[in-house]
Amino acid sequence: MTSKATLYKQDKKSNNFREIRSIHAKDTIRVYQAYNDQIANAAVQANSFQAPLQSGLWSKNRMTWIKPSKVWMAYRCGWTVLKDKNQSRVLALDLSRSYFESLLEQATITHPGSSSNGKNKKKKKCRDCDVVVQWDPERIMDVNAHGKQSFTTPVPSMRSIQIGLRNSAVDLLLDEKFVLRITDVTQDFRNALKALKAGDMEAAESCLFPDCNLGKECVMDVPCEIRKILCMDDDDDDDDDDNNNDFNEDSVEVQEKIE
């Protein structure tokens, strides 16, 4: 499979501005979430979020986000060690691809266009719906990106999908037909960070994607109707960046941060 760095070079010459880049197969797609130790341990042991829900550790009444981009997840959680304890573990969720696509059919997009009136309406609509999609600048590993960049750098010519879930959409995370497998991949992030700190990009890539059977992230084929819903083929560039988006996950109570 093609690495994200190579995809970046390709996409600079193409129109693949918004694509879902993920580890996926015919029937599954892998996404990531960050949690604290207690939630992660309970979910992995039970292979379900039912266990942390029943023990009062995990709530289905708060908004939560899933991300297919592993590097974006690394940036968000600081490689599990550079930010707070509530993002100290990363779980890989292998989801049913058909259920995932059905979820996207319900999505509302956060980027509102240039009109200030349309912007306010879109913001209100996003806060009223169960599935929110936000297109943020994709990120790639960078040994020279210190501080807040967390050894990653944004790629302006590519967007990475972030999917916010609330209400009935969060309930899906409790459905064993949707969440097929939960795997603790925390060590992948920590090993990759160690390599980045040593200035070894090749080792970092191998550490972050250690399973040859799974391969690396590549562009997933998305049905035409879903592409329309997600504005994947729009020519406009009205997406706000990940620091200024009106519906950035930092601005809401997200499961990963609160627990």
Side-chain angles (χ1 to χ4, degrees), residues 114-131:
S114 57
S115 166
S116 59
N117 183 49
K119 186 174 183 177
N120 292 332
K121 288 181 179 179
K122 178 67 74 172
K123 184 175 179 181
K124 184 178 185 301
K125 184 178 180 181
C126 285
R127 294 191 180 279
D128 291 338
C129 71
D130 291 353
V131 183

Side-chain angles (χ1 to χ4, degrees), residues 21-251:
R21 300 171 180 86
S22 63
I23 290 176
H24 60 274
K26 179 182 177 181
D27 298 319
T28 61
I29 177 173
R30 175 165 283 202
V31 299
Y32 303 94
Q33 289 192 301
Y35 289 105
N36 63 31
D37 289 340
Q38 292 80 9
I39 293 177
N41 288 337
V44 171
Q45 184 175 1
N47 195 45
S48 171
F49 288 110
Q50 288 285 358
L53 173 67
Q54 292 169 6
S55 60
L57 297 170
W58 187 90
S59 173
K60 64 178 183 177
N61 297 318
R62 295 179 180 135
M63 192 169 192
T64 189
W65 295 76
I66 57 177
K67 320 170 196 302
S69 169
K70 204 169 186 179
V71 176
W72 220 102
M73 184 73 258
Y75 165 70
R76 185 72 177 86
C77 71
W79 301 92
T80 75
V81 297
L82 301 178
K83 294 192 178 180
D84 62 83
K85 65 180 181 180
N86 289 318
Q87 300 183 83
S88 62
R89 301 277 289 280
V90 174
L91 304 183
L93 313 184
D94 291 312
L95 308 179
S96 160
R97 186 163 167 176
S98 61
Y99 275 58
F100 178 75
E101 291 178 353
S102 295
L103 190 73
L104 294 181
E105 289 174 352
Q106 308 170 42
T108 296
I109 309 300
T110 61
H111 68 86
S114 57
S115 166
S116 59
N117 183 49
K119 186 174 183 177
N120 292 332
K121 288 181 179 179
K122 178 67 74 172
K123 184 175 179 181
K124 184 178 185 301
K125 184 178 180 181
C126 285
R127 294 191 180 279
D128 291 338
C129 71
D130 291 353
V131 183
V132 174
V133 162
Q134 179 170 301
W135 290 102
D136 288 327
E138 183 60 277
R139 303 191 77 89
I140 57 175
M141 290 185 285
D142 185 346
V143 297
N144 297 312
H146 303 289
K148 292 183 179 180
Q149 296 303 314
S150 299
F151 292 96
T152 71
T153 190
V155 181
S157 64
M158 296 166 63
R159 286 295 186 262
S160 179
I161 193 169
Q162 324 286 328
I163 304 163
L165 311 176
R166 61 153 66 93
N167 302 326
S168 63
V170 178
D171 287 338
L172 271 177
L173 293 178
L174 299 169
D175 188 340
E176 62 183 10
K177 293 181 180 179
F178 179 54
V179 181
L180 306 177
R181 184 182 180 188
I182 301 176
T183 306
D184 187 345
V185 292
T186 304
Q187 200 58 47
D188 296 352
F189 289 79
R190 296 179 182 177
N191 291 342
L193 176 61
K194 184 177 180 180
L196 288 168
K197 286 182 174 180
D200 192 337
M201 179 67 76
E202 184 176 350
E205 184 87 9
S206 297
C207 288
L208 193 60
F209 299 99
D211 193 332
C212 295
N213 293 322
L214 287 176
K216 298 178 183 178
E217 293 166 9
C218 61
V219 174
M220 186 179 85
D221 289 332
V222 177
C224 291
E225 286 306 310
I226 296 177
R227 294 188 70 88
K228 291 179 182 178
I229 293 169
L230 302 184
C231 302
M232 293 177 68
D233 299 312
D234 286 8
D235 292 331
D236 66 284
D237 187 6
D238 291 324
D239 307 46
D240 294 324
D241 65 28
D242 54 310
N243 291 319
N244 297 315
N245 197 298
D246 283 305
F247 205 78
N248 190 282
E249 56 189 288
D250 282 329
S251 68

